Amino acid sequence: MTEYMVRFIVGGLFVSLFAIIGDVVRPKSFAGLFGAAPSVALATLGIAWAQHGSHYAGVQASSMVLGGIALLCYSVIVCQILMSTRARALTATLASLPVWLIVALGLHAVVRG
């Protein structure tokens, strides 16, 4: 129960901090970048560090970065499909899922290596 309370409080503080940053940033289209995901990631890393130590938290942080790279590649492919064809969003996202999987597993294989 204590872990959930810590997640709630720390996550809430980070969400508030990132909401303030998102409100200050121009243009407002960048405000979404400072939404819940960074605050949840930081809260999770803080708890991982407190419970398991710096090595474990470092592995988790590296995994988050690699997941972000895979998501970026997936997002670029989805955007390219949507802009160059008349495909529907559902079709483009489903067709691009293998790209995310290949990039994620490829990065995992390279890092584990």
Side-chain angles (χ1 to χ4, degrees), residues 63 65-77 96-111:
S63 298
V65 170
L66 296 178
I69 293 169
L71 178 63
L72 173 68
C73 295
Y74 166 80
S75 300
V76 167
I77 297 300
S96 301
L97 278 176
V99 171
W100 171 82
L101 183 63
I102 290 167
V103 172
L105 292 177
L107 288 172
H108 177 72
V110 167
V111 169

Side-chain angles (χ1 to χ4, degrees), residues 1-66:
M1 186 68 165
T2 304
E3 179 182 343
Y4 292 117
M5 291 302 294
V6 170
R7 281 182 191 259
F8 178 76
I9 293 169
V10 173
L13 290 173
F14 279 125
V15 166
S16 299
L17 176 67
F18 281 106
I20 291 168
I21 293 171
D23 200 34
V24 171
V25 171
R26 300 272 188 251
K28 288 297 178 190
S29 60
F30 286 127
L33 293 174
F34 298 104
S39 57
V40 171
L42 288 174
T44 301
L45 285 176
I47 292 169
W49 176 76
Q51 289 183 344
H52 303 286
S54 60
H55 178 71
Y56 182 82
V59 170
Q60 295 299 313
S62 298
S63 298
M64 289 179 187
V65 170
L66 296 178

Side-chain angles (χ1 to χ4, degrees), residues 75-107:
S75 300
V76 167
I77 297 300
V78 169
C79 288
Q80 290 300 315
I81 290 172
L82 290 174
M83 291 188 308
S84 64
T85 67
R86 292 191 178 264
R88 299 177 70 151
L90 180 62
T91 304
T93 56
L94 290 177
S96 301
L97 278 176
V99 171
W100 171 82
L101 183 63
I102 290 167
V103 172
L105 292 177
L107 288 172

